Amino acid sequence: MKDLSLLTRRSMLALGAAPFLANASTWPDRPIKLVVAATAGTQPDIFARIYADQLAAALKVPVVVDNRSGAAGNIGADAAAKSTPDGYTFLYAIANVTTMNQFLYTSITFDPRKDLVPVAEAVNTTTMLLASNSVGANTVAEAIDLARSRKGELVYGSYGVGGYPHLVFVQLLQKAGVEMLHVPYRTGAMNDLITGRIQFLLEPTATAIPQIRAGKVKALAHSGSRRHPELPNLPTITETVPGVVLEGWHGFYAPAGTPAAIIERVSAEINRINELPEVKERLVGRSGTPVASSPKQMAARIEKESKDWEALIRANNIKVE
């Protein structure tokens, strides 16, 4: 009975998808909407527009960017998830919308596991662990020693409760066995680091490097699994505190029920685009590393990271209202 029930459910799903599958052979014959779960002008938006232009050229239809920012990507993800699954709406978002938000937010209006399907990873991104020039620490080890001697007095900033930088700082402090005060920001965190109002900050690499080179802040470490090519002498966090790695990433999703043939086509195009020299140059120039992946590989990455983030979030009782 269990097998029959499963077969019945699959048959019903197939029948429900039939009207969309019938049109897959003529897809696309009209503009495609790319919902971007980020504000215009931010790194995710800039990257999404690079892909949109390339996809439009390849598919020979306009790919229109629709910015839906807010709630750490939940607003855009919700809009995409509730769109008609006919291959004319896709989502571009930072991975937190499927790997951590469901554990952080007390109220979420879509189910990332059921309402969105992976299409392709796009880019990996990293951050830099920065310190104010007024801080008497020049390495991660020295920062940990300083925090241990000034228990709970030092302050680190982030761009919001439950965001990647906040959670990685929680992980770092937990593994190092020290305490600091967390101050979440909407804007202005870098300015407060420069003036010394806060002592530490995990800043996206693209915006951190100019400040480091200008001498306005100190770089303590790179958050990636490897040293950054532009700062090869700067160690990674994990060289001092093993297991603390932050490699955020952006990816493409489709509403559940989108024809598999269309998903595979878009996935293949994104992987092809990531191999174009001019695209690589533009992405790397903004501290993005192109990623090659299939929908299956992306789903596996989401599954693994979701388990890791869920454990950290629940252990520290982190919630966003």
Side-chain angles (χ1 to χ4, degrees):
M1 285 300 292
K2 184 177 180 181
D3 291 342
L4 179 61
S5 176
L6 179 60
L7 179 61
T8 302
R9 288 199 300 272
R10 286 177 174 171
S11 298
M12 291 175 67
L13 286 170
L15 287 170
F20 302 123
L21 290 170
N23 295 325
S25 61
T26 60
W27 176 92
D29 59 8
R30 55 188 168 88
I32 293 169
K33 179 167 68 175
L34 181 60
V35 176
V36 177
T39 305
T42 59
Q43 186 193 52
D45 172 69
I46 292 169
F47 287 172
R49 291 175 188 274
I50 293 172
Y51 288 106
D53 290 344
Q54 292 292 335
L55 283 170
L59 300 175
K60 297 181 172 51
V61 295
V63 177
V64 181
V65 170
D66 179 12
N67 291 96
R68 300 286 188 96
S69 61
N74 286 344
I75 291 174
D78 178 75
K82 293 177 179 175
S83 298
T84 303
D86 55 4
Y88 289 94
T89 300
F90 290 89
L91 170 69
Y92 185 92
I94 299 175
N96 63 286
V97 301
T98 52
T99 61
M100 62 175 67
N101 285 6
Q102 65 266 39
F103 311 118
L104 286 167
Y105 282 78
T106 55
S107 177
I108 191 166
T109 54
F110 68 99
D111 186 331
R113 293 174 182 266
K114 295 179 180 178
D115 300 335
L116 292 169
V117 293
V119 176
E121 296 168 50
V123 292
N124 280 340
T125 61
T126 57
T127 62
M128 294 287 180
L129 176 56
L130 307 178
S132 169
N133 287 333
S134 62
V135 171
N138 296 301
T139 67
V140 174
E142 290 177 1
I144 291 170
D145 287 342
L146 186 63
R148 188 169 287 119
S149 68
R150 296 174 58 185
K151 186 176 179 179
E153 294 179 18
L154 299 178
V155 179
Y156 72 94
S158 79
Y159 293 100
V161 173
Y164 276 116
H166 174 215
L167 294 183
V168 171
F169 240 113
V170 169
Q171 185 183 47
L172 170 60
L173 297 176
Q174 193 169 281
K175 285 181 176 289
V178 296
E179 296 179 17
M180 290 188 195
L181 177 65
H182 173 224
V183 176
Y185 285 78
R186 287 182 181 272
T187 60
M190 179 60 77
N191 288 337
D192 278 4
L193 183 72
I194 291 170
T195 60
R197 293 187 67 185
I198 60 175
Q199 284 74 54
F200 301 100
L201 179 68
L202 273 166
E203 178 74 11
T205 298
T207 47
I209 288 178
Q211 303 293 348
I212 295 165
R213 288 180 170 160
K216 294 182 178 180
V217 295
K218 294 190 285 191
L220 302 189
H222 178 229
S223 76
S225 58
R226 291 182 290 273
R227 295 190 179 196
H228 195 278
E230 291 190 47
L231 297 170
N233 295 324
L234 184 69
T236 62
I237 297 173
T238 195
E239 288 178 49
T240 303
V241 185
V244 179
V245 176
L246 170 56
E247 290 181 339
W249 54 281
H250 306 174
F252 285 84
Y253 304 83
T258 300
I262 292 176
I263 289 173
E264 291 292 344
R265 171 72 189 283
V266 174
S267 182
E269 290 293 348
I270 292 163
N271 282 292
R272 181 191 62 79
I273 289 166
N274 272 343
E275 290 298 320
L276 297 174
E278 64 271 27
V279 171
K280 283 185 175 181
E281 183 179 356
R282 293 179 69 186
L283 296 175
V284 172
R286 291 184 173 273
S287 297
T289 303
V291 182
S293 78
S294 66
K296 185 176 180 180
Q297 289 170 325
M298 182 177 173
R301 185 174 186 178
I302 291 170
E303 183 69 18
K304 179 188 181 304
E305 293 189 8
S306 294
K307 290 178 180 177
D308 293 342
W309 289 122
E310 180 182 14
L312 181 72
I313 290 164
R314 296 200 189 287
N316 290 277
N317 195 31
I318 302 170
K319 290 292 180 185
V320 180
E321 298 295 335

